Amino acid sequence: MRLAVAVAREHAERARRWLLREGLIDRDRRIVQKGGKVEIPVLRAPSSLPVPFSLLEQQKPSYAPPKLSFEQLKRELRSRVGEKAELLRGGWELIGDVLIINLPGELYPLRREIGEFLLDFHPRARSVVARRGIGEELRYPQAEVIAGDINTTTLHREHGCVFRLDPCRVMFSAGNIEERRRMAQLPCKGEVVLDMFAGVGQLSIPLAKHARPKEVLAIEKRPETYEFLEENIRLNRLQGIMRARRGDCLEVAPRDYANRIIMGYFFSPERFLPKALEALRGGEGVLHYHTLVAKEALEKEGEALLERITELGYRAAIEYRRLVKSYAPRRWHAVYDVTVG
Ligand SMILES: C[S@@+](CC[C@H](N)C(=O)[O-])C[C@H]1O[C@@H](n2cnc3c(N)ncnc32)[C@H](O)[C@@H]1O
């Protein structure tokens, strides 16, 4: 049955937001106006609404256009905001049902039109967020909801894992998806694993869930992010093998503990190397070392990393290296898998 909620125009926006929050809007059909009422297509009947409403079965629903690519969408957007639409670059990220775009300053005055447009067109978006960058040390995003629900806490599903997070308050990078998948496939059966910069569990949860380690300890410094991390351990039912520890890994990481260490933080990561090496069980194991490099220096930076480890009194070899994503002009996020001992 193609159900819709019919409300008076003055209540339509409130009803739409409420239905969005409840996940009840049927995005395959358009919101239409008929006989002075607004019809909002719904997937099933709501038990209540904060405004007077009636429920009806739509006879001739108007279907939403099929999903568009970012480039097609920009062409559509041009009809609303003119040539400035071309300034929108870099695609979007969909984290759960929150759609994130990078909004250049010139488009800021048009943010509401752009946001509403994207909300109408993207079949899965409940909120549209404009991002202006991420603070360095604790990776706090600078973001603003430009359309839809202002509550942006969402549930993101990926590789058989779920992550509860608020992308406006914590970092979760779509560009790291391959790295998250790789963690799930590492050969770490029976290992003890330490995640020194766990975030909401982006890297250690897929590992804990699929790679059969014996034990995982995930450290996170920022209280707000730590709360999501703890919740995600529960949501993924990993309490039996994974635990979270709050604090600065320089202070709370255990010594002589792990067979494998994830160092997923790329601002001056060399500061954390001595601590990571100390945390390896018997001084041996694998480090997943993330850093920022110039694209052409991937190999050279790897050699410099080995030199630093040697200076600290350990023997090491690089087993794997990869550019993860472009981070800024001439700066790439890179990862090195280093075997120590
Ligand atoms: C960039 S996020 C990365 C999350 C995940 N490792 C990934 O790569 O997708 C880095 C996280 O490390 C945390 N962090 C930064 N410095 C830290 C420290 N000294 N000890 C523990 N956590 C730290 C930040 O709060 C942030 O949540």
Side-chain angles (χ1 to χ4, degrees), residues 76-320:
E76 289 285 328
L77 183 61
R78 212 185 289 152
S79 65
R80 304 238 188 139
V81 302
E83 290 302 313
K84 279 193 169 171
E86 284 310 311
L87 296 169
L88 205 59
R89 297 218 175 89
W92 56 49
E93 290 178 21
L94 187 70
I95 300 176
D97 53 9
V98 179
L99 188 75
I100 300 171
I101 56 165
N102 296 313
L103 196 74
E106 299 94 312
L107 288 180
Y108 191 72
L110 296 170
R111 64 195 181 283
R112 302 270 172 242
E113 287 99 312
I114 294 172
E116 290 297 334
F117 174 79
L118 290 171
L119 197 62
D120 282 350
F121 269 85
H122 202 289
R124 283 171 57 201
R126 178 174 53 91
S127 307
V128 181
V129 166
R131 189 160 59 197
R132 280 164 287 145
I134 291 187
E136 289 215 346
E137 191 199 357
L138 296 180
R139 308 297 281 137
Y140 194 98
Q142 294 159 310
E144 178 183 338
V145 176
I146 56 171
D149 196 344
I150 54 160
N151 173 5
T152 47
T153 297
T154 188
L155 207 58
H156 182 75
R157 290 172 201 279
E158 193 182 281
H159 306 132
C161 304
V162 287
F163 299 98
R164 193 166 165 78
L165 75 148
D166 180 350
C168 286
R169 291 184 287 146
V170 306
M171 174 268 180
F172 191 97
S173 168
N176 294 358
I177 184 166
E178 172 56 25
E179 196 54 20
R180 293 192 286 273
R181 192 190 58 76
R182 197 170 78 87
M183 291 294 110
Q185 296 176 343
L186 288 173
C188 34
K189 187 172 170 202
E191 286 185 355
V192 174
V193 178
L194 173 66
D195 186 351
M196 287 174 67
F197 308 93
V200 299
Q202 291 94 317
L203 297 177
S204 40
I205 283 180
L207 182 151
K209 189 127 188 183
H210 300 294
R212 305 175 67 196
K214 180 171 140 212
E215 175 180 324
V216 179
L217 174 63
I219 299 177
E220 171 55 47
K221 181 171 170 180
R222 191 165 153 242
E224 203 173 8
T225 311
Y226 176 83
E227 278 182 26
F228 284 120
L229 171 65
E230 276 206 308
E231 193 176 353
N232 289 330
I233 293 174
R234 279 197 302 277
L235 283 175
N236 289 279
R237 298 173 206 264
L238 290 168
Q239 300 95 314
I241 57 160
M242 181 165 175
R243 67 206 155 94
R245 183 174 290 176
R246 187 168 130 189
D248 185 328
C249 60
L250 288 175
E251 288 159 19
V252 304
R255 296 168 73 99
D256 193 17
Y257 168 73
N259 309 112
R260 184 180 295 272
I261 301 183
I262 307 171
M263 300 176 70
Y265 179 68
F266 50 52
F267 297 108
S268 312
E270 62 283 353
R271 284 182 293 146
F272 301 95
L273 254 184
K275 192 75 196 177
L277 292 164
E278 264 177 37
L280 283 175
R281 181 166 291 188
E284 289 180 7
V286 178
L287 303 179
H288 300 283
Y289 183 88
H290 293 244
T291 187
L292 289 175
V293 300
K295 192 175 190 174
E296 62 282 4
L298 181 67
E299 191 128 358
K300 217 172 83 201
E301 291 288 344
E303 283 159 22
L305 169 61
L306 291 182
E307 265 173 42
R308 272 195 296 276
I309 296 177
T310 309
E311 280 162 20
L312 291 165
Y314 295 77
R315 285 198 325 195
I318 291 183
E319 302 293 334
Y320 176 89

